[in-house]
Structures are given as structure tokens and as C-alpha cells.
């Protein structure tokens, strides 16, 4: 678990790096939904609309108490957001190595040591979606296998939470897997042996908090979760006319690449961004502040 308290995490959020620049390109997809709110006191002001220093301090102190209470799920949610991004960087590095092995004959041996991009990225997307579900349950104090509650909540997603799922769809779905990423994920999860899932570094980081008694039941839960959310993801993608090309064009404002390098771009985003952790901390801060404000 994190050794930092919530106000330190929010105070230390960056105001401008590759993660922020990548997320800002998605403003065209969900206009006006996300502002990169940083600083704990500033976040309290934004969330509550209050400006009284004494009240802001009281809200902040109560939020810290709630975060530090291990009987609550806030620290588990933070851990999930952080671990899935840490594993993402390792996955992206492995995929880039694999891509190089496809192009450079002398590096052919690398392909025996690194995952194939399509399957690895597909598993990565499905695990991130399950992490979103489990973190939602942890934050809201409901059982971790409450798929129905999570799916129902998607219609209310906004701000940093909606930005996180938008980035998931665009950066982990459309860019590396193409326009038919939903069917790719379904096919992979249907045919994936549990043993192969346990070889995935992202799964290994977060599996302890995924519902299920063993890899087979955890894989089944992942499949059920993805199937339940497919409708929302499909509608979101269709309603905004999202395509790999459209997302890539937005990213060209700060990344130089050609259209035939989208497979590299997906891995590059994995390596260079931590959008799950960044927006996850913002979501945690908002939920803690909302609850602390109500209890103050």
C-alpha cells in the first residue's frame, strides 16, 4: 500500500507531462469533462465550492482519516490504480522489444522472451476494466463482485472517472487493437487458458483483489465483467464516431509517428503514461472530499 497520505498524493500530481498531454487530446471526445485539478486544498475548493479556510482544513482532516482507515476500501483502490500502471510500463517495454524483434533479424531471439502484442494488449485492456470495477466497489463500500452496480454507475460517470474510461477505450482499445477491439477481447478471453493468464505481468500484480478462488474463476469473472460492459463501451465508441485514426490524429499534436506505426504507439503510451494512477488519485480525492464534506 502507498506510504503517502492522500493530501501528499494530490499535492504531487503533475500539471504537465506526457500523461497530461495525452489526456488533453481526449477533450475533443468528451469536451469540458476533465480538468487536471491538482493540490489537495484546491481540490476541496473545486469539489465543495467552499472557500472558508477553517472548513477546508476540517474537510481535509476528515478525508485523511477516512483514507487512513484500512477498514474502508480507499487504499485498496489506490493500490489497484498504481499497480495496473506499473505493470503497464513493463508490458509496454516487452511489446516494444517484441516489435523490434519482428523488424530486426538479429533480435529474433527476443520474440521467444516477450509476449505477442495483440494478445498481451487484449488481456491488458480486460484487466484494466476489471480493476476499474473492483476499485469502484472498494471506494463505494460494496462487494467486489458487484458487476450490476458498476454497470449501472457507468451512466453517471463524469470528470476524471469518465476520462479514465475514455483513455482506456482510446489508448488501450482502439490504438493497439483496432476498430474491432471489443470482439478481439471477447475472443481472447473465451479461448484463453487460465495458465496463460497467470503468465501476464499485469494480472499478477492485481490478481489478489480480483474476485475468484483461482485463476480459472478469476478469468471467468473477467469475462463476465467485460460482457456486461460491452454495451456501454460500444455505444460510447459509436456515439462519438471514434476510430483509431481519429484518436491517432489527436495524438499527433505532440507525438510524431506514421499511420503504419499504431502498434508501436499503443506500447509507447503504456510505457510513457500513467493515466490510470493519475485520474485514479483524482477520483479518490473527489470521493473522499465529498464524503468528508457531508460528515463535517
Amino acid at each position: 500500500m502507498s506510504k503517502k497520505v492522500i493530501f501528499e498524493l494530490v499535492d504531487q500530481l503533475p500539471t504537465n507531462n506526457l500523461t497530461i498531454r495525452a489526456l488533453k487530446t481526449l477533450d475533443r471526445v468528451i469536451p469540458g469533462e476533465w480538468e487536471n485539478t491538482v493540490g489537495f486544498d484546491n481540490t476541496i475548493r473545486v469539489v465543495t465550492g467552499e472557500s472558508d479556510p477553517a472548513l477546508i482544513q476540517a474537510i481535509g482532516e476528515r478525508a485523511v482519516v477516512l483514507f487512513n482507515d484500512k477498514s474502508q476500501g480507499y487504499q485498496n483502490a489506490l493500490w489497484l490504480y498504481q499497480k495496473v500502471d506499473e505493470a503497464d510500463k513493463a508490458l509496454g517495454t516487452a511489446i516494444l522489444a517484441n516489435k523490434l524483434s519482428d523488424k530486426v533479424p538479429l533480435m529474433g531471439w527476443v520474440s521467444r522472451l516477450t509476449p505477442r502484442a495483440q494478445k498481451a494488449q487484449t488481456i491488458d485492456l480486460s484487466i484494466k476494466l476489471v480493476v476499474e470495477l473492483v476499485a469502484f466497489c472498494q471506494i463505494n463500500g460494496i462487494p467486489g463482485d458487484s458487476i450490476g452496480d458498476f454497470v449501472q454507475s457507468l451512466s453517471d460517470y463524469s470528470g476524471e472517472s469518465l476520462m479514465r474510461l475514455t483513455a482506456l477505450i482510446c489508448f488501450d482499445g482502439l490504438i493497439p487493437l483496432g476498430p474491432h477491439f471489443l470482439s478481439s477481447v471477447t475472443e481472447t478471453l473465451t479461448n484463453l487458458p487460465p495458465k496463460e493468464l497467470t503468465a501476464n505481468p499485469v494480472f499478477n500484480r492485481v490478481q489478489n483483489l480480483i474476485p475468484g478462488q483461482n485463476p480459472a474463476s478469476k478469468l471467468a469473472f473477467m469475462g463476465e465483467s467485460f460482457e456486461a460492459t460491452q454495451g456501454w463501451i460500444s455505444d460510447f465508441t459509436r456515439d462519438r464516431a471514434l476510430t483509431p485514426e481519429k484518436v491517432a490524429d489527436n495524438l499527433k499534436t505532440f507525438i510524431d509517428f506514421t499511420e503504419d506505426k499504431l502498434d508501436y504507439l499503443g506500447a509507447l503510451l503504456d510505457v510513457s503514461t500513467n493515466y490510470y494512477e493519475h485520474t485514479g488519485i483524482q477520483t479518490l480525492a473527489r470521493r473522499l472530499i465529498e464524503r468528508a464534506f457531508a460528515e463535517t
Side-chain angles (χ1 to χ4, degrees), residues 42 53 55 81 111 124 134 136 146 148 152 156 188 208 215 248-249 258 266:
N42 179 52
L55 181 56
Y81 291 136
S111 64
D124 180 42
V134 176
F136 166 84
S146 299
Q152 188 174 5
D156 297 323
T188 296
N208 287 342
D249 283 344
T258 57

Side-chain angles (χ1 to χ4, degrees), residues 98-282:
N98 179 264
K99 289 296 179 184
L100 287 173
S101 74
D102 288 342
K103 304 295 181 181
V104 184
L106 290 177
M107 293 186 66
W109 58 272
V110 178
S111 64
R112 297 193 297 273
L113 305 177
T114 57
R116 302 303 300 177
Q118 181 84 7
K119 181 174 286 188
Q121 290 281 17
T122 301
I123 298 171
D124 180 42
L125 187 155
S126 62
I127 293 173
K128 279 185 174 177
L129 185 62
V130 169
V131 161
E132 182 67 24
L133 187 162
V134 176
F136 166 84
C137 293
Q138 292 284 341
I139 290 171
N140 290 283
I142 57 181
D145 57 353
S146 299
I147 296 175
D149 289 327
F150 173 68
V151 173
Q152 188 174 5
S153 77
L154 290 174
S155 60
D156 297 323
Y157 259 46
S158 60
E160 64 284 329
S161 295
L162 183 60
M163 175 57 81
R164 187 166 53 256
L165 284 190
T166 302
L168 176 66
I169 292 168
C170 293
F171 298 160
D172 291 284
L174 290 164
I175 287 293
L177 301 173
H180 305 297
F181 70 94
L182 287 173
S183 58
S184 295
V185 174
T186 299
E187 182 180 357
T188 296
L189 291 180
T190 300
N191 298 305
L192 187 70
K195 185 177 181 180
E196 192 167 343
L197 179 63
T198 60
N200 182 277
V202 184
F203 176 79
N204 281 329
R205 293 288 180 95
V206 300
Q207 64 168 314
N208 287 342
L209 286 178
I210 296 177
Q213 300 300 314
N214 51 53
S217 59
K218 292 176 187 289
L219 177 58
F221 180 78
M222 288 168 58
E224 292 170 15
S225 302
F226 188 78
E227 182 179 357
T229 54
Q230 263 198 85
W232 184 88
I233 295 173
S234 178
D235 290 346
F236 182 92
T237 305
R238 184 196 63 241
D239 293 347
R240 291 159 179 77
L242 291 175
T243 64
E245 293 75 21
K246 185 175 181 178
V247 177
D249 283 344
N250 292 339
L251 287 167
K252 282 182 177 178
T253 57
F254 73 98
I255 299 177
D256 186 20
F257 61 92
T258 57
E259 293 299 330
D260 63 337
K261 294 294 188 291
L262 290 185
D263 48 358
Y264 288 91
L265 179 59
L268 178 63
L269 289 169
D270 282 340
V271 170
S272 61
T273 68
N274 66 327
Y275 76 84
Y276 240 75
E277 179 182 11
H278 186 95
T279 61
I281 289 172
Q282 290 176 327

